[in-house]
Structure formats: C-alpha cells, structure tokens
Amino acid sequence: MKKALFSLLLALGLALALPAHMGQINAPFDEAVDRVETAMTAAGFPLEKTLDVGLTIRNRGYEFPPLFLMMFQPDAALKAAVLDDPKVGTLVPVTVAVMAGPQGQTMFTVVDWASFAPYFELDTQTAVATEVAFAKIYGALSTLSPLQFVPLPIPGALRAPYVGGRVTATDDLEEAILLTETGYQDRNMNVVGRTDFGGVYQLWLCSAEIARDFFGNMFPIASRAPCRAVVWKQGDQVYMVASDPAINPQKVDPKAFPPSLLQSFMQVLEMNGGVLEDLGIGQ
C-alpha cells in the first residue's frame, strides 16, 4: 500500500508535500466520494458543502482530474476550539480532498492536526477534546484505507498555517469583514462560502489558477483548502487571520518547485501581504 501510494504521488508530479494524512481507495471517483461521506457522517461529521474544484479548473480550459473539496460540519469540540482560539478557523471545518488517480483508484487527504496544534492557543480541556475529534475523523477515514502520514520533507520549513493579527484600519467588525472580502476579491480570489461560529466569522476563498498549480503538484495541501480568512472582535479590537501555505520560503530551494507552482506560491504570499496591509496588520 505504501509503495503504491508513493508511486501514485510521483505519477502526479508531486514536488512537495505538506503535513497531511493520505489514503487510496480502489474504487472509481464517484463511489469513493460516497464512501468518504458515509464514513464521516457515521463518525458525527455530516457533509456541509462540496466544491467541485476539478470542474472549475477544467472550465478554464485545462486538463485536470476529478477533484472534490468536501467540507464537513464541525462537532461541538471543533466549534469550541474555534471560539477558544479563532485562528483554528483556518483549519476548521475539516476538509477531505478527494481526487481521481491515473489508474482508476482514488486518493484522499486530510490535514494532520498534530503538526499544526502547537501554533494554536487552546486551554487544556479544549485541546484534548480537539485531539479526540480529529482522532474520530482519522478513525472514520481509516475504515476506507490505511492512512499514511505525508510529512513536509524539508527540516525547519514548516510554519504557522495562518498570517494576520490586530486590525488597525478599522475597529468595526462588519467593516473589517468587508475589507477582507473585497481585498481578496480585488486580488482574484472568489468567496465560495461563509461560516458564522457565533462571533467568529469565516470566509472561504478560492482561485482556480492557484488551485490548479497547487493541487496538481502538491495534492496534500488540498487538505487545507479552500483558503480561509477569519475575522473576529475581542474587546474593542478586531482581528483577522488568513490561511498561509505554511512553508517558510527562506527554507525552500526554488528549484524544488515547478515554475508555475513557485509562481502561485509567491502569489499567495504577496496576496496575503497585500490584504494585511489593507487592514493595517503588520507582519
């Protein structure tokens, strides 16, 4: 199984993997999608929304395999984690990305919580409950396929999966949400969903061009898609964080990236930087 999965990754031109879990279902794409939904629903995480990213990319005139981003409703523990530390909203709701392989099999991937947990500030009880919630998710997906951990193979390159901080451009929450939304839209990111966690507001953002480059070369990063921006108010101050590729560019040899992937990687960094500047957030 391990050899077959890595062979599949190589066949897809994987240049760099991010901390994630992956599995392979020996079934056609549509059947595999149904199996993922059934397993997650039985574990207490019903499907919230599916984004047909593969179709969106193909509609742009590119060849691309079927690829769904399946976002599952958070349970009480994951909702509590977002309210305890809104930055968790860059990973929750949990996405299971499902993509057709080149030989009739189907791959899926989900984020590795343990890799990113140290970047969040959760109280002890909430942290334990969050670990239990992710264990349920991994257990459910393990019934479909043995899960394989895919690490970031560059020592010291991993960083927080978010950027952002205190908003100084405004102290009005609704205005900060609007500035965030229009800031990304002005940079060709589409808002494809919204979530209200009860005072913590989340935007789902996607670009077909960036998705094609990232997911075609770095499928495990689809476990953290779509990109998310989270805005909330604490006391009199508004805060905003957005998804970050979580790779320290100073630690990565540019030659490790295909040119189009490197271009999209830098585009995400520049785009985030521009929106943070709009909001008056210093990096």
Side-chain angles (χ1 to χ4, degrees):
M1 174 66 185
K2 182 175 181 180
K3 182 177 180 181
L5 184 55
F6 269 114
S7 296
L8 183 56
L9 292 176
L10 292 173
L12 289 166
L14 185 71
L16 187 64
L18 287 174
H21 296 281
M22 292 189 61
Q24 177 178 305
I25 302 173
N26 293 320
F29 179 77
D30 290 342
E31 180 181 337
V33 167
D34 289 341
R35 290 188 189 180
V36 169
E37 181 178 356
T38 298
M40 289 289 287
T41 300
F45 301 91
L47 184 66
E48 180 170 342
K49 187 172 185 177
T50 297
L51 297 179
D52 190 342
V53 176
L55 178 61
T56 300
I57 295 172
R58 291 192 296 276
N59 284 341
R60 300 296 193 277
Y62 302 106
E63 291 186 7
F64 205 85
L67 168 62
F68 281 1
L69 301 181
M70 304 176 69
M71 279 76 71
F72 292 90
Q73 295 178 26
D75 66 0
L78 294 184
K79 291 178 181 177
V82 174
L83 293 176
D84 191 28
D85 183 351
K87 298 188 294 295
V88 174
T90 52
L91 299 184
V92 172
V94 170
T95 294
V96 179
V98 184
M99 184 165 73
Q103 299 176 349
Q105 68 281 76
T106 303
M107 292 191 307
F108 66 87
T109 184
V110 63
V111 70
D112 177 55
W113 169 254
S115 293
F116 294 111
Y119 295 103
F120 301 105
E121 300 173 359
L122 300 176
D123 65 55
T124 301
Q125 183 177 352
T126 304
V128 171
T130 303
E131 291 177 5
V132 171
F134 274 95
K136 291 179 182 178
I137 291 170
Y138 302 143
L141 295 174
S142 293
T143 65
L144 307 175
S145 162
L147 294 183
Q148 180 179 339
F149 175 64
V150 185
L152 183 69
I154 303 173
L158 188 66
R159 67 180 185 183
Y162 54 80
V163 291
R166 186 168 64 92
V167 174
T168 60
T170 179
D171 59 4
D172 182 81
L173 181 60
E174 292 186 3
E175 184 177 5
I177 295 171
L178 179 61
L179 288 173
T180 301
E181 179 174 340
T182 56
Y184 278 104
Q185 288 180 325
D186 288 346
R187 293 165 174 85
N188 299 316
M189 289 286 277
N190 298 313
V191 177
V192 294
R194 293 176 173 82
T195 304
D196 178 1
F197 285 95
V200 177
Y201 300 91
Q202 181 188 75
L203 302 173
W204 299 355
L205 306 156
C206 191
S207 160
E209 295 291 337
I210 293 174
R212 177 177 67 94
D213 292 331
F214 268 114
F215 304 159
N217 293 284
M218 196 192 291
F219 175 58
I221 201 173
S223 65
R224 294 195 290 111
C227 293
R228 292 149 187 169
V230 186
V231 186
W232 72 99
K233 194 163 188 177
Q234 185 173 327
D236 295 330
Q237 186 58 56
V238 178
Y239 293 83
M240 174 270 194
V241 294
S243 298
D244 183 80
I247 303 172
N248 187 338
Q250 297 177 345
K251 298 283 187 177
V252 176
D253 182 355
K255 296 178 181 178
F257 288 83
S260 63
L261 178 59
L262 179 61
Q263 181 178 354
S264 288
F265 177 69
M266 298 308 297
Q267 183 179 350
V268 170
L269 298 181
E270 293 171 1
M271 179 169 49
N272 278 342
V275 175
L276 296 186
E277 184 177 352
D278 294 345
L279 294 169
I281 300 173
Q283 292 180 281

